Amino acid sequence: MATENAQTPLLQLENVRAGYGEAVVLDGVSLSVPEGGSLAVLGRNGVGKTTLLLTIMGFVNLMQGTVRFAGRDISGAPPHKRARAGLGWVPQERDIFASLTVEENLTATARAGQGNAGRWDLSSVYDLFPRLKERRANMGNQLSGGEQQMLAIARTLMTNPSILILDEPLEGLAPIIVEELIAKIGAMAKDEGMALVLVEQHAEVALGLTDQAIVIERGVIAHAAGSAELLKDQATLDRYVGLNLEGE
Amino acid sequence: MIGNLAIVLFDGLAFGMLLFVLSVGLSVTLGLMNFVNLAHGAFAMLGGYVTVLVTRELGLPFLWSLPAAFIVAALVSVGFERTLFRRLYRAGELNQVLFTIGLVFAASAAAAYVFGTAQQPIQLPQFLRGVTEFAGLRFGSYRIFLIIIALVITGLLVLGLEYTRFGAQIRAAVDNQRAAQGLGIDVDTVFAVTFALGSGLAGLGGALAIEMVGLDPSFGFHYLVYMMIVVSVGGLGSIAGSFVAASLLGIADVAGKYFVPDLGAFMIYLIMIAVLFLRPQGLFGKR
Ligand SMILES: Nc1ncnc2c1ncn2[C@@H]1O[C@H](COP(=O)(O)OP(=O)(O)O)[C@@H](O)[C@H]1O
Ligand SMILES: [Mg+2]
């Protein structure tokens, strides 16, 4: 994927082959996200979107290629070091810590950030998601789906990442919550310049929130384009993303 | 009769508190980290021998030997955890059992080689010897000391696990290792520290045990049985469970031996069978 940006990209994958054990899921994947940039990752169920994020975070077997972050080769770094370096991953299953309260979920892994250090703390994430403040004393397993997603995003923000990596954050949520999350993710990406990787099956939403996009098809990048451009390219969208009738 | 009952309850509680200090670390490693560490008994024995060395060979006071027993057992256990145990985290439970019980055999043989098979007596400071009179009853001073230490440890453990950031990180890592790592927790280190604290407590328990139940190379095996009973009756991973189970078993053991001498030694097994029959997951266990 071409970026016109001359400076070193914030996040860059080069010719990545990755998978589980011996099984190859992603092959020949290259992409880059500049500082403050945003990338939509589209594709049907099971094509390897989550695996791509797990590769970035270091949870799967990287067989070939490199992952670079902020100019450093992090291909061999363990996940916790990548998180500390500023990769802000929000897992698809949300993975809220069930035996921690909402507030503990937020504080247990909180860190001052690298660049924009200290932008996010308890009061600013509670301002972003007032619902979490009301639920602060609840245990992690007593939340609705929408609250869990808010908490998962807020928990990652508390690590003050330099890039937010979201895996289908709108999946399975009520429309009103979806609206709220879209507005807030948009505000972070567009207004505050937080770099963003957004995996999403709803192409229109993802393309509206990002400036670049890739489409994954069976583990390879089948298409890469500017988000605005791809939004108008109905033929390509139909071909690779479809009408999303599979649901889940 | 009432007086006897009070003393029996008190002695039982003191024995229970000893069992608690010995067992709580095992409950944590077994319940939180899913690692079956039968070598816990060997770390307890190690703590006992550290106290013997520190008081007899170095001539230092008994109270000084207690932190030494904790620290040595913690450090040695971390050495084993980093080099050997961690390779077994993903191995089956049978492998963990076989390996760690092997370590107890090895530790027992090593202790017999270095210290001989005899009981190891130690010198207690004056204020821990004898009895303290209260309401006309005579309570063993050492047992009072034991109860106080166990209560302090319980308080510290609960505070540490429930109210500190490190405690929250332990619980997070147990809940979901992958998410914890992905948010920047160094799960390996968190588990290693947790493991060290648990083993350190075993070492402290071993040191405290000498005065009450003696110390010889079979300690690791003998008390492993008690530890397993405390953990299974209390429920895996529950500090409160270990505390209640240890108190119950300590009192039952002492009371059984006092009131029904013929049955006494079996009392704890009867309680274990009864509890596990009614609640297979233990009193405070979640699974
Ligand atoms: N833990 C795993 N072990 C083996 N294969 C897996 C695992 N997780 C996912 N896969 C496989 O990898 C492929 C891509 O999955 P995934 O990245 O989750 O897709 P997506 O997020 O695009 O829906 C699928 O074929 C899936 O079956
Ligand atoms: Mg997925």
Side-chain angles (χ1 to χ4, degrees):
Chain A
M1 199 197 92
T3 348
E4 276 82 277
N5 209 322
Q7 79 198 84
T8 46
L10 180 62
L11 174 66
Q12 186 175 36
L13 272 64
E14 277 174 312
N15 196 24
V16 158
R17 180 189 294 160
Y20 303 90
E22 298 290 294
V24 176
V25 174
L26 296 173
D27 205 3
V29 170
S30 301
L31 60 82
S32 78
V33 182
E35 202 92 46
S38 52
L39 176 72
V41 179
L42 307 178
R44 291 193 175 86
N45 252 324
V47 295
K49 305 183 297 298
T50 294
T51 305
L52 174 65
L53 302 194
L54 296 181
T55 306
I56 294 171
M57 290 310 295
F59 286 112
V60 298
N61 185 12
L62 179 69
M63 303 162 198
Q64 184 191 302
T66 50
V67 180
R68 261 185 252 282
F69 182 65
R72 283 192 309 142
D73 184 348
I74 58 164
S75 308
H80 72 269
K81 292 217 171 123
R82 301 186 192 208
R84 289 179 189 180
L87 287 165
W89 169 63
V90 181
Q92 184 168 9
E93 298 80 13
R94 287 119 201 206
D95 293 342
I96 298 305
F97 302 121
S99 56
L100 273 61
T101 63
V102 166
E103 190 148 310
E104 283 176 331
N105 265 280
L106 294 170
T107 54
T109 54
R111 274 188 308 280
Q114 304 276 313
N116 54 345
R119 160 70 179 86
W120 294 103
D121 57 17
L122 263 187
S123 74
S124 55
V125 298
Y126 281 151
D127 284 346
L128 184 68
F129 297 119
R131 284 279 280 283
L132 295 181
K133 188 169 187 177
E134 291 163 28
R135 303 291 233 136
R136 64 207 287 178
N138 283 79
M139 298 308 281
N141 55 5
Q142 299 169 325
L143 302 179
S144 71
E147 289 165 344
Q148 285 185 29
Q149 187 63 59
M150 291 175 195
L151 179 55
I153 294 175
R155 180 178 66 176
T156 297
L157 289 175
M158 290 285 286
T159 68
N160 282 292
S162 31
I163 185 168
L164 198 55
I165 301 174
L166 302 174
D167 197 346
E168 303 205 31
L170 310 177
E171 189 189 5
L173 301 185
I176 183 159
I177 311 267
V178 168
E179 293 292 310
E180 180 184 346
L181 283 176
I182 290 174
K184 285 172 177 171
I185 294 168
M188 272 183 277
K190 296 248 143 92
D191 310 345
E192 297 182 26
M194 166 84 92
L196 177 68
V197 174
L198 176 59
V199 168
E200 193 43 69
Q201 294 210 25
H202 302 87
E204 336 72 64
V205 173
L207 293 173
L209 287 169
T210 50
D211 38 58
Q212 296 288 317
I214 56 173
V215 182
I216 302 188
E217 178 74 3
R218 270 181 277 118
V220 302
I221 296 186
H223 192 83
S227 298
E229 177 193 335
L230 183 56
L231 197 49
K232 285 178 259 161
D233 185 357
Q234 197 56 47
T236 304
L237 285 181
D238 284 349
R239 185 160 158 220
Y240 295 117
V241 189
L243 292 170
N244 189 29
L245 287 180
E246 313 98 296
E248 237 308 286
Chain B
M1 181 62 202
I2 299 287
N4 281 352
L5 186 64
I7 292 292
V8 165
L9 278 180
F10 169 78
D11 283 357
L13 183 65
F15 183 51
M17 292 300 94
L18 177 64
L19 294 181
F20 170 73
V21 178
L22 283 168
S23 315
V24 67
L26 182 62
S27 176
V28 169
T29 43
L30 207 63
L32 300 188
M33 293 158 64
N34 284 317
F35 181 66
V36 186
N37 178 27
L38 301 188
H40 198 73
F43 293 129
M45 183 178 75
L46 174 65
Y49 281 111
V50 167
T51 279
V52 167
L53 281 180
V54 167
T55 53
R56 265 213 324 248
E57 307 299 320
L58 302 181
L60 292 172
F62 173 73
L63 289 185
W64 279 79
S65 78
L66 297 181
F70 179 95
I71 291 167
V72 171
L75 290 180
V76 169
S77 81
V78 140
F80 277 98
E81 197 271 345
R82 295 270 95 172
T83 53
L84 298 170
F85 293 172
R86 59 182 338 182
R87 294 166 199 271
L88 289 167
Y89 284 163
R90 278 178 196 82
E93 285 169 359
L94 183 61
N95 287 331
Q96 298 176 354
V97 165
L98 291 175
F99 181 77
T100 55
I101 199 82
L103 278 183
V104 184
F105 277 106
S108 172
Y113 181 78
V114 177
F115 296 93
T117 51
Q119 288 287 335
Q120 303 287 330
I122 51 162
Q123 274 289 316
L124 287 185
Q126 189 61 46
F127 76 97
L128 290 179
R129 283 183 249 166
V131 296
T132 304
E133 292 226 8
F134 181 76
L137 297 172
R138 293 153 64 83
F139 297 96
S141 301
Y142 188 74
R143 291 178 160 82
I144 296 177
F145 172 72
L146 205 53
I147 293 173
I148 292 172
I149 288 210
L151 291 177
V152 169
I153 288 173
T154 310
L156 288 178
L157 283 178
V158 171
L159 280 178
L161 196 60
E162 299 296 327
Y163 298 101
T164 67
R165 193 168 126 102
F166 185 72
Q169 291 186 341
I170 295 177
R171 286 179 285 137
V174 169
D175 275 351
N176 192 321
Q177 259 195 60
R178 194 182 74 172
Q181 288 171 323
L183 286 155
I185 296 182
D186 183 353
V187 171
D188 282 356
T189 302
V190 167
F191 280 177
V193 171
T194 310
F195 189 81
L197 291 175
S199 307
L201 285 175
L204 176 62
L208 291 170
I210 306 175
E211 175 61 18
M212 227 160 122
V213 299
L215 174 67
D216 67 26
S218 71
F219 187 91
F221 285 111
H222 193 157
Y223 280 87
L224 188 57
V225 177
Y226 284 95
M227 293 171 183
M228 301 306 284
I229 296 177
V230 168
V231 170
S232 53
V233 168
L236 297 183
S238 167
I239 292 170
S242 296
F243 188 86
V244 172
S247 311
L248 184 68
L249 292 166
I251 291 171
D253 193 51
V254 172
K257 283 174 181 155
Y258 187 87
F259 292 115
V260 245
D262 290 342
L263 196 64
F266 294 102
M267 202 58 125
I268 55 171
Y269 301 102
L270 294 179
I271 290 198
M272 175 182 77
I273 291 167
V275 168
L276 295 185
F277 189 74
L278 296 172
R279 273 184 73 83
Q281 72 274 46
L283 294 173
F284 286 63
K286 297 197 182 80
R287 65 197 154 85

